[in-house]
């Protein structure tokens, strides 16, 4: 599966790989875990018909550097994202964020002092009690998971990824998402990033959510088993002016389950009374 990130951004802890497509008003797509910017392979071209689209792999993910000692917490990802926005000279881009990408985007907006034109969050980690399920078990038993035999590790990661999609993956997609996490280095990288993602990093901005003044859109899959629909309601209650849209028959990975519907929402933009024009 061809998906290239030809550009590099140097951070103190390694290189972040990125790419940009199209022309027009800028929009940045922020992926979550345990995936990569490959999730945007259908969405980015659709948006690039009218927008300048930026994608990247978080440090420790996909084609970006993976190595021992990296700080891969949400606060560090937000600092890296803020650095990328500065590197791209983007002062007020649109931002679209999924899974932990939501927390990264929110920290960058509320705690790193960067400005967005508007923000779309879908099936996103944003706050509340989200240390649950497999994620909580990895936090509590990171050393045990890191010692799993390679076949058991691969089976666990594959099952976790399948659990995130309601419709299932198309041929070759699951294997592409798995690839960065296989082998001794990939397995170490997988648990390295999971054991550093903590709820405390979203609690740090929760009391600021009501102060967000830019247009915000929330999109959620009704069948999300990773972050069920009550997480969308939690976020909607705390950003009172946000739009909330449901996508039926879709799980956590809207990019896989409902790419056309997601693209339609993103290309539609915000109503004029929300975006000032």
């Amino acid at each position: 599966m061809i998906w290239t990130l030809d550009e590099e951004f140097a951070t103190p802890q390694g290189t972040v790989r990125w790419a940009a497509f199209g022309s027009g008003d800028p929009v940045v797509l922020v992926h979550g875990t345990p995936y990569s910017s490959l999730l945007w392979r259908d969405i980015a071209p659709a948006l690039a018909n009218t927008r300048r689209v930026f994608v990247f792999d978080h440090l420790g993910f996909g084609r970006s550097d993976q190595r021992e000692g990296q700080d891969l917490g949400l606060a560090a990802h937000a600092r890296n994202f803020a650095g990328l926005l500065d590197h791209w000279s983007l002062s007020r881009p649109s931002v679209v964020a999924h899974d932990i990408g939501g927390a990264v985007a929110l920290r960058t907006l509320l705690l790193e002092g960067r400005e967005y034109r508007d923000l779309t969050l879908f099936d996103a980690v944003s706050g509340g009690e989200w240390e649950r399920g497999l994620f909580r078990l990895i936090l509590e038993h990171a050393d045990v998971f890191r010692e799993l035999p390679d076949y058991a590790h691969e089976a666990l990661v594959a099952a976790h990824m399948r659990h995130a999609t309601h419709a299932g993956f198309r041929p070759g997609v699951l294997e592409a998402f798995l690839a960065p996490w296989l082998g001794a280095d990939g397995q170490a990288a997988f648990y390295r990033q999971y054991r550093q993602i903590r709820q405390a990093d979203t609690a740090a901005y929760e009391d600021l959510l009501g102060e967000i003044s830019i247009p915000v859109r929330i999109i959620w899959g009704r069948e999300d088993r990773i972050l069920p629909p009550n997480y969308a309601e939690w976020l909607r209650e705390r950003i009172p002016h946000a739009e909330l849209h449901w996508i039926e028959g879709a799980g956590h990975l809207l990019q896989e389950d409902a790419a056309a519907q997601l693209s339609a929402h993103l290309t539609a933009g915000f109503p004029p009374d929300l975006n000032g024009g």
Side-chain angles (χ1 to χ4, degrees):
M1 184 169 298
I2 298 174
W3 178 255
T4 59
L5 301 177
D6 295 329
E7 305 293 337
E8 298 184 352
F9 171 67
T11 79
Q13 304 208 2
T15 298
V16 171
R17 301 294 299 270
W18 64 275
F21 319 91
S23 61
D25 292 333
V27 56
V28 184
L29 310 181
V30 189
H31 74 82
T33 186
Y35 305 96
S36 70
S37 62
L38 180 65
L39 274 172
W40 306 116
R41 67 195 183 281
D42 295 325
I43 307 301
L47 294 177
N49 287 324
T50 57
R51 308 286 296 270
R52 180 69 169 165
V53 182
F54 293 81
V55 298
F56 67 100
D57 286 349
H58 291 299
L59 193 66
F61 291 74
R63 290 177 170 81
S64 293
D65 282 353
Q66 297 176 336
R67 65 180 188 229
E68 288 292 344
Q70 288 176 320
D71 184 349
L72 303 177
L74 296 175
H77 287 313
R79 289 192 296 271
N80 289 338
F81 184 42
L84 272 170
L85 294 177
D86 296 344
H87 179 68
W88 294 330
S89 298
L90 300 182
S91 59
R92 294 186 71 248
S94 298
V95 174
V96 178
H98 171 244
D99 190 80
I100 66 162
V104 172
L106 287 167
R107 278 195 69 103
T108 305
L109 174 69
L110 296 171
L111 300 179
E112 295 295 329
R114 300 312 187 271
E115 297 183 351
Y116 307 154
R117 174 181 178 178
D118 49 62
L119 175 63
T120 298
L121 301 167
F122 69 94
D123 300 85
V125 170
S126 57
E129 302 292 326
W130 53 269
E131 287 183 5
R132 59 193 295 274
L134 178 64
F135 173 66
R136 180 179 57 79
L137 290 175
I138 293 174
L139 283 180
E140 294 175 354
H141 307 286
D143 291 340
V144 174
F145 280 93
R146 195 165 52 244
E147 295 301 320
L148 285 174
D150 55 1
Y151 69 88
H153 164 73
E154 181 175 354
L156 182 148
V157 178
H160 178 59
M161 290 179 172
R162 290 191 190 98
H163 187 64
T165 172
H166 183 68
F169 291 106
R170 285 165 281 173
V173 173
L174 177 60
E175 292 77 7
F177 285 135
L178 277 171
W181 306 124
L182 301 183
D185 291 343
Q187 181 167 341
F190 183 84
Y191 299 111
R192 182 185 308 128
Q193 56 90 17
Y194 261 116
R195 71 174 183 263
Q196 295 185 58
I197 300 170
R198 298 302 178 101
Q199 197 169 287
D201 283 338
T202 58
Y205 61 67
E206 282 184 15
D207 61 349
L208 301 176
L209 290 171
E211 299 178 13
I212 295 175
S213 59
I214 60 171
V216 177
R217 172 172 44 201
I218 303 165
I219 308 172
W220 224 266
R222 285 280 194 190
E223 307 301 325
D224 190 336
R225 294 176 290 188
I226 304 295
L227 293 169
N230 59 290
Y231 286 91
E233 300 286 1
W234 183 96
L235 186 57
R236 174 64 179 83
E237 290 171 1
R238 284 158 180 80
I239 309 177
H241 66 279
E243 304 174 10
L244 174 55
H245 304 273
W246 299 103
I247 296 187
E248 304 295 334
H252 186 65
L253 296 180
L254 295 184
Q255 302 97 318
E256 302 298 322
D257 288 349
Q261 292 178 69
L262 178 59
S263 294
H265 278 293
L266 298 180
T267 55
F270 287 82
D273 59 332
L274 289 179
N275 64 22

